[in-house]
Amino acid sequence: MRWIVFLFTGLGGVLSATAETPKPSYVLDTKPTAKVSGALGYSVTCPMMTAATGWVFVIPVLPELPSQGAVKTSTVPVGSLTREKSREARQVLTLQFPAKGGSQSGEVRAVYEATLYSRHLRVLNPGETGPKVPPLSAADRILYTSPLPNLDFKSAEFQKWLIDKNLVLQKGSTSVDYARSVFELIRAQYQYEYLPKMDRRASEVCRMAKTDCGGMSHLFVSALRSQAIPARCLYGRWAESAKPDDKLGAVPYFQWHVIAEFYADGVGWIPVDCSSAVLWEKPDAPSKNFGQQMGNFLTQHIDPDFEIDSVHFGISTVQNNQTPRWWVTGKGKVDGNIHVESWTVSKQ
């Protein structure tokens, strides 16, 4: 005899005999990949400065992250540890020194040291229990769901884009589901283009067909923050030395890059590299850039929109601090300045 089993509720209703398929549970496998030391050299010459008196350079301090630990930032000359003035209050080193003999040139060097970690998102196996992940603090949850000038997801333009693209978090969807849908949309509908002075505000990027790693990361992070999912941009450089004559567009390239990550409760910070997927993957192929990080990227700072104390000229608002920001005092002009950059990485 075949038995058919029905489940009854306490109110006499009948529940489906077939239960809804449970959402998968995820885990991030994290492993150390290398100890790296990245040397950043930077010099500026202002031919129209007739009598310089002093220089100020500001360099970000490496943050501790799931992707990097045992971090250390040192500079020549030695800098003073302080914080930039935005609500994120990121640590920076301010290097202030006189212009010897009225020199038209200022030069600094920073050494970044860290242990890098690979991260791979996967579904938990049946019966497997993932590691306990500390919950995100209330302060960080507020910080990483708030708007910034470049993450302007509350703008009318961006809100319309969310609706037009059907990117509103649906009931029953997880943060991983939503993040993947945003990532796949960017991968399918955007092309890569780098212009040094392009507008990377999310409200502009959402209306464009081309942008760079920063623009795509701003778009991704803004979409997630709009749905109260904590997300952030990681600004830094690939953990490999700059190659001679390597260029990004028409500009010498020193391994700058921006990726994103979002926080999933019980899982942690999950990496996403939109522009690498756009550049190197076929849109219809499974992506290696969602939930995967090879441990070859050094993050210099979190998020855009720095408010830096220039010491002599008030607060300066800049999109990022991957390359040192600088000011010079004295007589003359900074027009026509010439800068020289180097990036050399060694690994253990």
Side-chain angles (χ1 to χ4, degrees), residues 37-40 59-62 71-79 93 95 108-113:
S37 177
L40 170 61
I59 293 172
V61 174
L62 291 186
V71 298
K72 181 181 178 182
T73 306
S74 57
T75 62
V76 179
V78 175
L93 288 170
L95 288 61
V108 295
R109 176 181 170 86
V111 176
Y112 291 124
E113 300 173 68

Side-chain angles (χ1 to χ4, degrees), residues 59-61 73 78-83 90-95:
I59 293 172
V61 174
T73 306
V78 175
S80 299
L81 183 63
T82 183
R83 292 182 181 272
R90 290 152 288 198
Q91 286 190 323
V92 295
L93 288 170
T94 300
L95 288 61

